[in-house]
mmCIF file of all heavy atoms in Angstrom:
data_model
loop_
_atom_site.group_PDB
_atom_site.id
_atom_site.type_symbol
_atom_site.label_atom_id
_atom_site.label_comp_id
_atom_site.label_asym_id
_atom_site.label_seq_id
_atom_site.Cartn_x
_atom_site.Cartn_y
_atom_site.Cartn_z
ATOM 1 N N THR A 1422 -4.438 14.452 -7.369
ATOM 2 C CA THR A 1422 -3.354 14.597 -8.343
ATOM 3 C C THR A 1422 -2.143 15.298 -7.744
ATOM 4 O O THR A 1422 -1.149 15.511 -8.429
ATOM 5 C CB THR A 1422 -3.845 15.395 -9.573
ATOM 6 O OG1 THR A 1422 -4.326 16.668 -9.129
ATOM 7 C CG2 THR A 1422 -4.940 14.643 -10.297
ATOM 8 N N ILE A 1423 -2.222 15.677 -6.478
ATOM 9 C CA ILE A 1423 -1.110 16.363 -5.824
ATOM 10 C C ILE A 1423 -0.261 15.314 -5.126
ATOM 11 O O ILE A 1423 -0.511 14.918 -3.998
ATOM 12 C CB ILE A 1423 -1.618 17.388 -4.780
ATOM 13 C CG1 ILE A 1423 -2.647 18.315 -5.379
ATOM 14 C CG2 ILE A 1423 -0.459 18.165 -4.165
ATOM 15 C CD1 ILE A 1423 -2.164 19.139 -6.560
ATOM 16 N N ARG A 1424 0.745 14.835 -5.843
ATOM 17 C CA ARG A 1424 1.637 13.833 -5.249
ATOM 18 C C ARG A 1424 3.057 14.330 -5.388
ATOM 19 O O ARG A 1424 3.338 15.223 -6.154
ATOM 20 C CB ARG A 1424 1.439 12.483 -5.938
ATOM 21 C CG ARG A 1424 0.071 11.885 -5.640
ATOM 22 C CD ARG A 1424 -0.011 10.448 -6.074
ATOM 23 N NE ARG A 1424 -0.108 10.278 -7.516
ATOM 24 C CZ ARG A 1424 -1.225 10.347 -8.207
ATOM 25 N NH1 ARG A 1424 -2.359 10.598 -7.615
ATOM 26 N NH2 ARG A 1424 -1.222 10.177 -9.498
ATOM 27 N N GLN A 1425 3.960 13.704 -4.663
ATOM 28 C CA GLN A 1425 5.338 14.164 -4.639
ATOM 29 C C GLN A 1425 6.039 13.942 -5.985
ATOM 30 O O GLN A 1425 7.045 14.534 -6.244
ATOM 31 C CB GLN A 1425 6.091 13.485 -3.500
ATOM 32 C CG GLN A 1425 5.400 13.736 -2.191
ATOM 33 C CD GLN A 1425 6.344 14.018 -1.065
ATOM 34 O OE1 GLN A 1425 7.543 13.938 -1.217
ATOM 35 N NE2 GLN A 1425 5.798 14.365 0.063
ATOM 36 N N GLY A 1426 5.492 13.048 -6.814
ATOM 37 C CA GLY A 1426 5.981 12.925 -8.167
ATOM 38 C C GLY A 1426 7.124 11.958 -8.385
ATOM 39 O O GLY A 1426 7.248 11.393 -9.439
ATOM 40 N N ARG A 1427 7.981 11.752 -7.397
ATOM 41 C CA ARG A 1427 9.122 10.870 -7.647
ATOM 42 C C ARG A 1427 8.840 9.437 -7.229
ATOM 43 O O ARG A 1427 9.632 8.557 -7.479
ATOM 44 C CB ARG A 1427 10.376 11.380 -6.966
ATOM 45 C CG ARG A 1427 10.320 11.373 -5.473
ATOM 46 C CD ARG A 1427 11.612 11.922 -4.885
ATOM 47 N NE ARG A 1427 11.690 11.484 -3.524
ATOM 48 C CZ ARG A 1427 12.724 10.912 -2.977
ATOM 49 N NH1 ARG A 1427 13.803 10.723 -3.671
ATOM 50 N NH2 ARG A 1427 12.701 10.515 -1.738
ATOM 51 N N ARG A 1428 7.700 9.203 -6.592
ATOM 52 C CA ARG A 1428 7.351 7.853 -6.175
ATOM 53 C C ARG A 1428 6.026 7.458 -6.804
ATOM 54 O O ARG A 1428 5.088 8.253 -6.844
ATOM 55 C CB ARG A 1428 7.215 7.777 -4.644
ATOM 56 C CG ARG A 1428 8.511 8.134 -3.946
ATOM 57 C CD ARG A 1428 8.373 8.009 -2.464
ATOM 58 N NE ARG A 1428 7.507 9.069 -1.939
ATOM 59 C CZ ARG A 1428 7.297 9.266 -0.657
ATOM 60 N NH1 ARG A 1428 7.850 8.501 0.239
ATOM 61 N NH2 ARG A 1428 6.514 10.232 -0.241
ATOM 62 N N THR A 1429 5.957 6.250 -7.310
ATOM 63 C CA THR A 1429 4.714 5.761 -7.897
ATOM 64 C C THR A 1429 3.825 5.264 -6.768
ATOM 65 O O THR A 1429 4.225 4.396 -6.004
ATOM 66 C CB THR A 1429 5.006 4.608 -8.881
ATOM 67 O OG1 THR A 1429 5.906 5.087 -9.865
ATOM 68 C CG2 THR A 1429 3.733 4.131 -9.534
ATOM 69 N N PRO A 1430 2.613 5.794 -6.647
ATOM 70 C CA PRO A 1430 1.749 5.375 -5.546
ATOM 71 C C PRO A 1430 1.136 4.005 -5.797
ATOM 72 O O PRO A 1430 0.949 3.596 -6.934
ATOM 73 C CB PRO A 1430 0.667 6.452 -5.513
ATOM 74 C CG PRO A 1430 0.630 6.992 -6.902
ATOM 75 C CD PRO A 1430 2.029 6.862 -7.444
ATOM 76 N N SER A 1431 0.840 3.297 -4.714
ATOM 77 C CA SER A 1431 0.168 2.001 -4.763
ATOM 78 C C SER A 1431 -1.297 2.203 -4.429
ATOM 79 O O SER A 1431 -1.628 2.968 -3.521
ATOM 80 C CB SER A 1431 0.769 1.041 -3.743
ATOM 81 O OG SER A 1431 2.138 0.879 -3.951
ATOM 82 N N ALA A 1432 -2.163 1.480 -5.115
ATOM 83 C CA ALA A 1432 -3.592 1.521 -4.810
ATOM 84 C C ALA A 1432 -3.847 0.732 -3.538
ATOM 85 O O ALA A 1432 -3.326 -0.375 -3.372
ATOM 86 C CB ALA A 1432 -4.390 0.928 -5.967
ATOM 87 N N ILE A 1433 -4.614 1.304 -2.620
ATOM 88 C CA ILE A 1433 -4.980 0.616 -1.383
ATOM 89 C C ILE A 1433 -6.464 0.835 -1.101
ATOM 90 O O ILE A 1433 -7.058 1.776 -1.604
ATOM 91 C CB ILE A 1433 -4.111 1.077 -0.180
ATOM 92 C CG1 ILE A 1433 -4.249 2.582 0.079
ATOM 93 C CG2 ILE A 1433 -2.661 0.693 -0.369
ATOM 94 C CD1 ILE A 1433 -3.521 3.069 1.335
ATOM 95 N N SER A 1434 -7.030 -0.043 -0.286
ATOM 96 C CA SER A 1434 -8.447 0.058 0.071
ATOM 97 C C SER A 1434 -8.618 1.042 1.212
ATOM 98 O O SER A 1434 -7.649 1.496 1.826
ATOM 99 C CB SER A 1434 -8.964 -1.318 0.505
ATOM 100 O OG SER A 1434 -8.368 -1.686 1.742
ATOM 101 N N ALA A 1435 -9.867 1.333 1.543
ATOM 102 C CA ALA A 1435 -10.154 2.233 2.662
ATOM 103 C C ALA A 1435 -9.628 1.642 3.966
ATOM 104 O O ALA A 1435 -9.040 2.349 4.783
ATOM 105 C CB ALA A 1435 -11.655 2.491 2.755
ATOM 106 N N GLN A 1436 -9.827 0.336 4.169
ATOM 107 C CA GLN A 1436 -9.333 -0.297 5.401
ATOM 108 C C GLN A 1436 -7.813 -0.248 5.473
ATOM 109 O O GLN A 1436 -7.242 0.020 6.528
ATOM 110 C CB GLN A 1436 -9.819 -1.754 5.491
ATOM 111 C CG GLN A 1436 -9.397 -2.447 6.763
ATOM 112 C CD GLN A 1436 -9.866 -1.720 8.022
ATOM 113 O OE1 GLN A 1436 -10.997 -1.284 8.090
ATOM 114 N NE2 GLN A 1436 -9.001 -1.577 8.997
ATOM 115 N N GLN A 1437 -7.142 -0.481 4.374
ATOM 116 C CA GLN A 1437 -5.682 -0.404 4.351
ATOM 117 C C GLN A 1437 -5.217 1.024 4.624
ATOM 118 O O GLN A 1437 -4.248 1.234 5.346
ATOM 119 C CB GLN A 1437 -5.152 -0.910 3.013
ATOM 120 C CG GLN A 1437 -5.357 -2.396 2.819
ATOM 121 C CD GLN A 1437 -5.127 -2.838 1.388
ATOM 122 O OE1 GLN A 1437 -5.346 -2.084 0.433
ATOM 123 N NE2 GLN A 1437 -4.696 -4.077 1.215
ATOM 124 N N ALA A 1438 -5.924 2.010 4.086
ATOM 125 C CA ALA A 1438 -5.577 3.411 4.325
ATOM 126 C C ALA A 1438 -5.716 3.743 5.804
ATOM 127 O O ALA A 1438 -4.854 4.409 6.391
ATOM 128 C CB ALA A 1438 -6.451 4.334 3.480
ATOM 129 N N ARG A 1439 -6.800 3.273 6.435
ATOM 130 C CA ARG A 1439 -6.979 3.499 7.886
ATOM 131 C C ARG A 1439 -5.826 2.888 8.669
ATOM 132 O O ARG A 1439 -5.275 3.501 9.569
ATOM 133 C CB ARG A 1439 -8.290 2.862 8.361
ATOM 134 C CG ARG A 1439 -9.487 3.704 8.167
ATOM 135 C CD ARG A 1439 -10.723 3.085 8.831
ATOM 136 N NE ARG A 1439 -11.894 3.642 8.225
ATOM 137 C CZ ARG A 1439 -12.522 3.153 7.156
ATOM 138 N NH1 ARG A 1439 -12.116 2.045 6.608
ATOM 139 N NH2 ARG A 1439 -13.567 3.773 6.661
ATOM 140 N N THR A 1440 -5.474 1.653 8.308
ATOM 141 C CA THR A 1440 -4.398 0.952 9.014
ATOM 142 C C THR A 1440 -3.082 1.696 8.878
ATOM 143 O O THR A 1440 -2.372 1.919 9.859
ATOM 144 C CB THR A 1440 -4.248 -0.482 8.457
ATOM 145 O OG1 THR A 1440 -5.490 -1.174 8.623
ATOM 146 C CG2 THR A 1440 -3.140 -1.234 9.171
ATOM 147 N N VAL A 1441 -2.748 2.100 7.662
ATOM 148 C CA VAL A 1441 -1.478 2.786 7.418
ATOM 149 C C VAL A 1441 -1.434 4.135 8.144
ATOM 150 O O VAL A 1441 -0.426 4.498 8.748
ATOM 151 C CB VAL A 1441 -1.248 2.963 5.897
ATOM 152 C CG1 VAL A 1441 -0.079 3.875 5.624
ATOM 153 C CG2 VAL A 1441 -1.019 1.608 5.253
ATOM 154 N N LEU A 1442 -2.538 4.878 8.112
ATOM 155 C CA LEU A 1442 -2.554 6.203 8.743
ATOM 156 C C LEU A 1442 -2.536 6.143 10.263
ATOM 157 O O LEU A 1442 -2.041 7.060 10.917
ATOM 158 C CB LEU A 1442 -3.777 6.995 8.278
ATOM 159 C CG LEU A 1442 -3.686 7.576 6.872
ATOM 160 C CD1 LEU A 1442 -5.038 8.122 6.428
ATOM 161 C CD2 LEU A 1442 -2.619 8.648 6.788
ATOM 162 N N THR A 1443 -3.065 5.086 10.850
ATOM 163 C CA THR A 1443 -3.134 5.023 12.314
ATOM 164 C C THR A 1443 -2.006 4.207 12.927
ATOM 165 O O THR A 1443 -1.862 4.191 14.156
ATOM 166 C CB THR A 1443 -4.488 4.443 12.777
ATOM 167 O OG1 THR A 1443 -4.670 3.145 12.193
ATOM 168 C CG2 THR A 1443 -5.629 5.361 12.378
ATOM 169 N N ASP A 1444 -1.181 3.544 12.125
ATOM 170 C CA ASP A 1444 -0.067 2.754 12.659
ATOM 171 C C ASP A 1444 1.108 3.671 12.966
ATOM 172 O O ASP A 1444 1.651 4.324 12.087
ATOM 173 C CB ASP A 1444 0.343 1.677 11.652
ATOM 174 C CG ASP A 1444 1.362 0.723 12.226
ATOM 175 O OD1 ASP A 1444 2.484 1.173 12.554
ATOM 176 O OD2 ASP A 1444 1.047 -0.466 12.350
ATOM 177 N N THR A 1445 1.518 3.708 14.224
ATOM 178 C CA THR A 1445 2.613 4.606 14.624
ATOM 179 C C THR A 1445 3.975 4.123 14.137
ATOM 180 O O THR A 1445 4.897 4.928 14.022
ATOM 181 C CB THR A 1445 2.633 4.770 16.152
ATOM 182 O OG1 THR A 1445 2.748 3.474 16.752
ATOM 183 C CG2 THR A 1445 1.374 5.456 16.645
ATOM 184 N N VAL A 1446 4.118 2.842 13.844
ATOM 185 C CA VAL A 1446 5.399 2.333 13.348
ATOM 186 C C VAL A 1446 5.679 2.862 11.952
ATOM 187 O O VAL A 1446 6.790 3.283 11.639
ATOM 188 C CB VAL A 1446 5.429 0.787 13.350
ATOM 189 C CG1 VAL A 1446 6.696 0.261 12.708
ATOM 190 C CG2 VAL A 1446 5.298 0.256 14.768
ATOM 191 N N ILE A 1447 4.666 2.875 11.111
ATOM 192 C CA ILE A 1447 4.833 3.361 9.743
ATOM 193 C C ILE A 1447 5.000 4.873 9.735
ATOM 194 O O ILE A 1447 5.809 5.416 9.004
ATOM 195 C CB ILE A 1447 3.646 2.945 8.861
ATOM 196 C CG1 ILE A 1447 3.640 1.434 8.692
ATOM 197 C CG2 ILE A 1447 3.715 3.613 7.495
ATOM 198 C CD1 ILE A 1447 2.487 0.910 7.901
ATOM 199 N N GLY A 1448 4.230 5.558 10.535
ATOM 200 C CA GLY A 1448 4.325 7.015 10.597
ATOM 201 C C GLY A 1448 3.870 7.697 9.323
ATOM 202 O O GLY A 1448 4.439 8.704 8.907
ATOM 203 N N ALA A 1449 2.828 7.158 8.692
ATOM 204 C CA ALA A 1449 2.332 7.740 7.445
ATOM 205 C C ALA A 1449 1.626 9.063 7.723
ATOM 206 O O ALA A 1449 1.094 9.287 8.803
ATOM 207 C CB ALA A 1449 1.368 6.776 6.755
ATOM 208 N N GLU A 1450 1.628 9.914 6.712
ATOM 209 C CA GLU A 1450 0.963 11.212 6.821
ATOM 210 C C GLU A 1450 -0.155 11.298 5.794
ATOM 211 O O GLU A 1450 -0.022 10.783 4.682
ATOM 212 C CB GLU A 1450 1.962 12.337 6.543
ATOM 213 C CG GLU A 1450 3.088 12.408 7.552
ATOM 214 C CD GLU A 1450 4.078 13.516 7.228
ATOM 215 O OE1 GLU A 1450 3.864 14.279 6.261
ATOM 216 O OE2 GLU A 1450 5.075 13.610 7.946
ATOM 217 N N PRO A 1451 -1.254 11.962 6.137
ATOM 218 C CA PRO A 1451 -2.289 12.179 5.136
ATOM 219 C C PRO A 1451 -1.892 13.339 4.229
ATOM 220 O O PRO A 1451 -1.186 14.255 4.645
ATOM 221 C CB PRO A 1451 -3.514 12.548 5.978
ATOM 222 C CG PRO A 1451 -2.941 13.160 7.215
ATOM 223 C CD PRO A 1451 -1.633 12.457 7.462
#
């Protein structure tokens, strides 16, 4: 429930979460 609040999050699968977190182009943060 700790989200930045101004952006609506999208539901993603575990595999998609792994991809997003490990892709250096996106630069996502956990």
Side-chain angles (χ1 to χ4, degrees):
T1422 57
I1423 309 300
R1424 292 192 286 276
Q1425 303 221 355
R1427 66 181 199 130
R1428 299 182 290 186
T1429 303
S1431 303
I1433 59 174
S1434 69
Q1436 182 57 44
Q1437 292 167 330
R1439 276 187 201 90
T1440 301
V1441 170
L1442 284 170
T1443 57
D1444 188 296
T1445 56
V1446 174
I1447 293 178
E1450 297 179 3

